[in-house]
Amino acid sequence: MPDTPHITVHPVTAKGGRPVTAHTHGTDAPLGTAYGLADVVEFARRAGLHDPESLVEQDSPMIVWTGGGPDTWI
């Protein structure tokens, strides 16, 4: 089974924001902390995902939400 690259948005931290990582080639790399959907879109863009705005809007499997969906920021 090939390794499918994706972005993971982790649960909100005690300090606020949600850590975001990119998974590719069997490795997770931190991208930063997102404080809203615009941050997730920008991190996905920087990670090389095509059309990141639609990936967030369409609930794509390329973006994995843990600890709450795209409406959870606090």
Side-chain angles (χ1 to χ4, degrees):
M1 172 185 238
D3 185 34
T4 304
H6 64 269
I7 302 292
T8 300
V9 183
H10 299 275
V12 176
T13 67
K15 293 181 179 182
R18 296 177 73 170
V20 180
T21 57
H23 178 85
T24 185
H25 305 296
T27 304
D28 291 325
L31 298 176
T33 301
Y35 294 93
L37 288 177
D39 294 332
V40 176
V41 169
E42 179 60 19
F43 292 144
R45 184 190 66 74
R46 289 181 189 176
L49 295 183
H50 176 69
D51 196 13
E53 292 88 357
S54 69
L55 294 176
V56 170
E57 293 170 4
Q58 296 175 6
D59 194 30
S60 168
M62 297 294 293
I63 299 180
V64 177
W65 300 88
T66 62
D71 296 330
T72 305
W73 297 101
I74 56 172

